[in-house]
């Protein structure tokens, strides 16, 4: 039976019931599609919109809202724009129009306040980790001196959700005095609590730092440059004619008058509410984000700043009074958008990924953005009209789910994963007291003693974080006695999201220069190291020879040696234990960026141990220091460490793919897809010319330890065979302790070569196998096991050398 991506979980479950299937959360980073959209992203099932129409019309009939405007876009095209019902039912009915202007309520946080803050960060006028009191001294009252700008943006400041409306009764000046005098409800960064006070304060921060009020700053720096001609605080008389009313205040209808009572008391301009806009203007705003800060040739923010702004960041558990709807698992926000907190019901069932984000407003407004798929939707209602009894919570979720299916296709059944089929054995079990501390945690615990008095260059990416999820960049930038001079990023960039050559950039949070080591230069030059006396390396590896982060490690060590710079490695776990050494050792003639030295396919070391190996065996004699982990043992799998999994690169999205990576990546240079452009790269492989049934059958007949294969069909959205039906196999790990990555990879190659000799580009396997004798052995051997015997004979000598550099038992 051939299974599609959509249904393969059910059939795999019946086919192989002993495997435990569990979804693994994927995350972090964004890419910007730019003005041209990939053909695979052109899909839009217009027929689904009839379902959305029906739901909205039903909500209107049930008095959940008087009317609505729905806008759906992809790239630079609006795919669907429609008005429903009325914008007013009292004092007289008025039809809804697509250009109706809505009171956005809390969407103001996302379209005005947060981007204003990020623009000021980019210009060096604000630092996200600075105390707010640095800019607004009055904020230091009553224990609030430690609240940072970042805390306010993420709603983790410790401020209550809202202060009493009576605090605003005597005008803005008195209101600000009472706001600044508020006490904390809990310690900063210990609880997530959505709070208007956070963004009210941020709005004033813009005023204090820039001199312009928030409404003027947003107009000058965001609305006007982007051509948002119907977007403003306090709409003028002409625009009020198109405004949807909300409720009555003092016996008059609020039409173009902000609904939120606190924003109204502050003159209609506040960081948490007050912006009015249309669906068309919000569409332009979404497009600006999809374009990485630019629209129609006008740039309001650098792409790096946009990435910093929309990056999902874990937030702590909600305060007790906000936990009623709390979902299981970690919650995330960006600096101004929701991702997956209890307020994220708007995203529906198809946008439930950490790479999407959006916001809702109390008046009935909402939008959601999906940069990886280059799309967005906007649903604007004035559900508070006429009497405040409307409710569109359910409608938002239902419509979002339908729009997701229209844009992304039907929701696939959850895919099989390669989690172990049984519980860990007693030998595997790791006690809670043995939670691993990575090198950065150990360094932090020591008060950064190893770096005290040094001028540091940091080689890192998004995986460089401590146990609390804080970036190593930020920790070193604020470490006492440490001067962080410059940043260096490996392949995929500082945020680990790019599948292309990476340019130099600037870190939005610190203002530091980021020098790419995946562009013209693969190692720091003497000029790049000017003013630096210590290089620090903190990047998560996956244990395979051709994973380029460990080549960057070696090249940077060599540069440190040549320029008399000290080199410090902050160690991290090998996710697949430190026990497995397997595969052919790379030939000298194949050494390069995918093989720094003669290493086997799977090296079985941490990056700290590799650095010691490089020094002792490859002659890289830099002044090396390792900050080792605490509590890590070689038998540990990553899920036993207590360390949060962060996708180390765009296409390694879970522990399963990291385990299968050395096997399946051998096909990377061939004419076989390794699953790039699907939901689970490096867990599947295929091509249009493969007979999936036959391939899965012979692979299963090979009786490989710890793995089974299921035939499947898939269609990559990007990369090799984009938009073409591919047939192949999905790999399921049944026993990770028995799994042999090198033997599995050799068997896959051997069987493809035997089954499809006229189609399969066998010689291209050598690009990553990197051993001519091993390639010849696979070509001529009677079985994969015979081929493996030849390279296994050389591994004992390597393991003897490796043993001298191991740090952990």
């Amino acid at each position: 039976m051939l299974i599609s991506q959509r249904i393969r979980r059910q059939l795999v479950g019946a086919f192989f019931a002993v495997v435990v299937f569990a979804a693994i959360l994927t995350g972090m980073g964004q890419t910007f599609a730019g003005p041209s959209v990939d053909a695979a992203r052109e899909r839009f099932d217009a027929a689904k919109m009839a379902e959305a129409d029906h739901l909205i019309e039903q909500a209107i009939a049930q008095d959940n809202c008087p009317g609505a405007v729905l806008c759906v876009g992809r790239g630079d095209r609006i795919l669907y724009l429609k008005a429903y019902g009325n914008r007013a039912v009292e004092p007289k009915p008025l039809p809804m129009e697509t250009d109706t202007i809505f009171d956005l309520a809390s969407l103001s946080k996302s379209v005005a306040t947060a981007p204003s803050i990020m623009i000021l960060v980019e210009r060096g006028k604000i630092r996200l980790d600075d105390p707010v009191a640095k800019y607004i001294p009055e904020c230091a009252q009553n224990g609030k001196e430690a609240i940072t700008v970042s805390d306010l943006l993420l709603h983790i400041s410790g401020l209550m959700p809202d202060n009493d409306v009576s605090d605003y009764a005597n005008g803005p000046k008195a209101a600000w005095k009472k706001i600044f005098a508020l006490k904390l409800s809990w310690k900063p960064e210990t609880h997530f609590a959505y709070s208007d006070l956070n963004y009210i304060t941020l709005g004033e921060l813009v005023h204090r730092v820039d001199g312009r009020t928030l409404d003027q700053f947003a107009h000058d720096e965001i609305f006007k440059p982007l051509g948002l001609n119907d977007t403003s605080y306090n709409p003028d008389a002409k625009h009020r004619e198109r405004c949807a009313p909300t409720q009555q205040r003092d016996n008059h209808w609020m039409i173009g008058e902000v609904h939120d009572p606190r924003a109204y008391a502050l003159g209609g301009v506040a960081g948490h509410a007050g912006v009015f806009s249309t669906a068309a203007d919000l569409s332009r705003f979404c497009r600006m984000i999809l374009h990485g800060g630019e629209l129609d040739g006008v740039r309001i923010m650098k792409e790096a700043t946009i990435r910093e702004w929309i990056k999902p960041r874990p937030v702590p558990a909600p305060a007790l009074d906000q936990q009623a709807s709390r979902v299981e698992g970690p919650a995330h926000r960006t600096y101004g958008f929701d991702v997956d907190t209890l307020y994220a019901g708007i995203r529906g069932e198809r946008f439930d990924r950490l790479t999407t984000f959006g916001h809702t407003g109390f008046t009935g407004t909402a939008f959601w953005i999906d940069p990886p798929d280059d799309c967005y939707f906007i649903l604007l209602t004035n559900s508070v009209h006429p009497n405040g009894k409307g409710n569109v919570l359910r409608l938002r979720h239902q419509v979002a789910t339908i729009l997701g299916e229209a844009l992304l296709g039907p929701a696939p059944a959850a895919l099989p994963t390669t989690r172990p089929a049984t519980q860990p054995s007693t030998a595997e079990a790791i006690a809670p007291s043995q939670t691993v501390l990575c090198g950065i945690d150990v360094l932090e615990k020591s008060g950064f003693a190893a770096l005290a008095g040094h001028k540091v260059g940091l080689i890192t990416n998004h995986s460089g974080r401590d146990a609390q999820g804080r970036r190593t960049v930020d920790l070193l930038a604020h470490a006492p006695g440490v001067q962080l001079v410059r940043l260096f990023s490996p392949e995929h960039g500082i945020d680990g999201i790019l599948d292309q050559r990476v340019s130099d950039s600037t870190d939005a949070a610190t203002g530091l220069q980021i020098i790419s080591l995946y562009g013209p230069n693969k190692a720091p030059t003497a000029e790049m190291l000017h003013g630096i006396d210590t290089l620090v390396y903190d990047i998560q590896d996956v244990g395979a020879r051709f994973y380029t982060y460990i080549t960057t490690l070696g090249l940077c060590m060599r540069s440190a040696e040549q320029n008399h710079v000290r080199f410090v490695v902050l160690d991290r776990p090998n996710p697949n234990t430190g026990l497995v050494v397997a595969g052919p050792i790379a030939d000298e003639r194949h050494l390069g960026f995918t093989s720094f030295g003669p290493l086997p396919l799977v090296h079985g070391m941490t990056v700290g141990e590799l650095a010691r190996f490089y020094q002792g065996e490859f002659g890289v004699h830099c002044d090396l220091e390792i900050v080792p982990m605490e509590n890590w043992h070689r038998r540990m799998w990553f899920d036993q460490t207590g360390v949060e999994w962060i996708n180390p690169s765009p296409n390694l999205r879970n522990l399963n793919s990291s385990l299968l990576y050395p096997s399946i990546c051998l096909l990377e240079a061939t004419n076989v897809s390794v699953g790039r452009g699907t939901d689970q790269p490096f867990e599947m492989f295929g091509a249009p010319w493969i007979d999936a049934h036959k391939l899965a059958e012979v692979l299963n007949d090979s009786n490989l330890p710890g793995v089974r294969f299921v035939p499947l069909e898939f269609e990559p959205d990007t990369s090799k065979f984009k938009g073409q039906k591919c047939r192949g196999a999905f790999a399921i790990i049944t026993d990770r302790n028995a799994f042999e990555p090198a033997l599995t990879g050799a068997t896959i190659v051997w069987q493809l070569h035997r089954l499809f000799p006229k189609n399969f580009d066998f010689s291209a396997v050598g690009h990553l196998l990197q051993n001519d004798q091993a390639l010849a052995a696979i070509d001529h051997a009677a079985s994969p096991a015979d081929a493996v015997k030849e390279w296994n004979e050389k591994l004992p000598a390597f393991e003897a050398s490796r043993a001298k550099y191991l740090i952990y038992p």
Side-chain angles (χ1 to χ4, degrees), residues 352-408:
D352 57 342
R353 292 164 284 137
L354 294 186
T355 49
T356 73
F357 49 85
H359 217 286
T360 61
F362 182 80
T363 52
T365 56
F367 71 153
W368 206 262
I369 308 173
D370 180 355
D373 294 296
D374 199 34
C375 60
Y376 60 89
F377 72 87
I378 301 156
L379 178 60
L380 301 179
T381 77
N382 55 333
S383 58
V384 294
H385 180 72
N387 53 21
K389 295 182 179 180
N391 188 328
V392 291
L393 294 178
R394 180 177 175 83
L395 175 68
R396 287 168 173 167
H397 183 88
Q398 291 175 325
V399 170
T401 298
I402 289 170
L403 299 182
E405 292 178 350
L407 289 163
L408 310 178

Side-chain angles (χ1 to χ4, degrees), residues 5-329:
Q5 282 181 276
R6 186 184 308 175
I7 64 171
R8 65 175 171 267
R9 184 189 182 199
Q10 292 96 322
L11 296 181
V12 171
F15 178 81
F16 198 59
V18 299
V19 180
V20 176
F21 299 119
I24 292 184
L25 187 65
T26 63
M28 300 328 85
Q30 308 291 349
T31 57
F32 305 106
S36 64
V37 183
D38 290 342
R41 294 180 175 176
E42 290 287 331
R43 71 163 69 94
F44 181 63
D45 185 357
K48 297 292 293 183
M49 301 312 297
E51 297 179 43
D53 292 345
H54 174 72
L55 287 170
I56 295 171
E57 290 161 357
Q58 185 180 56
I60 293 170
Q62 294 172 349
D63 293 330
N64 285 318
C65 60
V69 175
L70 176 63
C71 178
V72 183
R74 167 166 273 137
D76 285 333
R77 294 184 300 125
I78 291 179
L79 302 174
Y80 197 79
L81 178 63
K82 185 173 180 177
Y84 308 78
N86 294 315
R87 78 170 189 258
V89 294
E90 293 185 25
K92 65 178 182 179
L94 292 172
M96 185 70 76
E97 305 288 349
T98 56
D99 66 348
T100 296
I101 298 172
F102 290 82
D103 179 343
L104 296 186
S106 283
L107 266 64
S108 305
K109 297 177 173 75
S110 300
V111 302
T113 310
S116 295
I117 292 292
M118 296 308 296
I119 288 170
L120 291 171
V121 168
E122 179 178 288
R123 294 175 183 176
K125 293 186 176 182
I126 293 175
R127 288 169 59 97
L128 291 169
D129 289 336
D130 275 347
V132 179
K134 175 179 177 179
Y135 310 101
I136 308 176
E138 304 97 303
C139 279
Q141 298 178 58
N142 294 322
K144 301 195 297 297
E145 64 277 357
I147 294 176
T148 67
V149 178
S150 175
D151 292 340
L152 295 177
L153 286 165
L154 294 173
H155 295 290
I156 56 175
S157 67
L159 291 172
M160 66 177 70
D162 275 312
N163 57 327
D164 198 280
V165 175
S166 64
D167 287 352
Y168 299 78
N170 297 319
K173 186 175 180 180
W176 281 115
K177 196 171 182 179
K178 291 192 174 184
I179 290 170
F180 295 142
L182 290 171
K183 296 180 180 179
L184 290 174
S185 296
W186 43 82
K187 186 179 177 181
E189 301 182 7
T190 61
H191 294 288
F192 164 75
Y194 184 90
S195 170
D196 284 342
L197 285 166
N198 289 322
Y199 277 73
I200 290 172
T201 306
L202 287 168
E204 178 63 10
L205 177 59
V206 172
H207 183 204
R208 294 289 185 99
V209 169
D210 182 79
R212 287 172 285 180
T213 56
L214 176 61
D215 59 328
Q216 190 62 54
F217 186 94
H219 172 270
D220 296 346
E221 306 292 346
I222 303 168
F223 305 156
K224 184 178 180 180
L226 294 179
L228 311 187
N229 298 321
D230 292 327
T231 303
S232 70
Y233 285 88
N234 292 323
D236 58 28
K238 181 179 178 180
H239 284 92
R240 283 200 299 272
E241 294 175 2
R242 288 193 279 127
C243 285
T246 52
Q247 291 179 264
Q248 286 187 309
R249 176 183 284 136
D250 299 330
N251 296 317
H252 71 273
W253 288 100
M254 290 179 266
I255 304 175
E257 177 183 300
V258 64
H259 178 269
D260 183 89
R262 294 169 183 82
Y264 176 74
L266 292 172
V269 178
H272 71 299
V275 176
F276 288 73
S277 189
T278 64
D281 274 9
L282 288 177
S283 170
R284 292 183 64 81
F285 182 82
C286 293
R287 287 169 53 203
M288 176 274 295
I289 292 176
L290 295 178
H291 282 266
E294 177 270 338
L295 184 66
D296 295 340
V298 177
R299 179 167 292 282
I300 68 166
M301 269 185 266
K302 296 177 182 177
E303 191 169 307
T305 306
I306 293 285
R307 287 198 297 268
E308 187 72 6
W309 177 23
I310 66 176
K311 183 190 301 182
R313 300 166 193 279
V315 294
L320 292 176
D321 61 350
Q322 295 196 347
Q323 286 185 341
S325 302
R326 181 74 172 97
V327 295
E328 292 297 319

Side-chain angles (χ1 to χ4, degrees), residues 578-583 600-605 741-742 792 795-796 798-799 802:
L579 299 175
V580 180
V581 176
L601 180 67
V602 179
H603 54 70
M605 289 181 273
N792 280 348
L795 288 179
F798 172 83
E799 290 188 85
R802 164 182 169 272

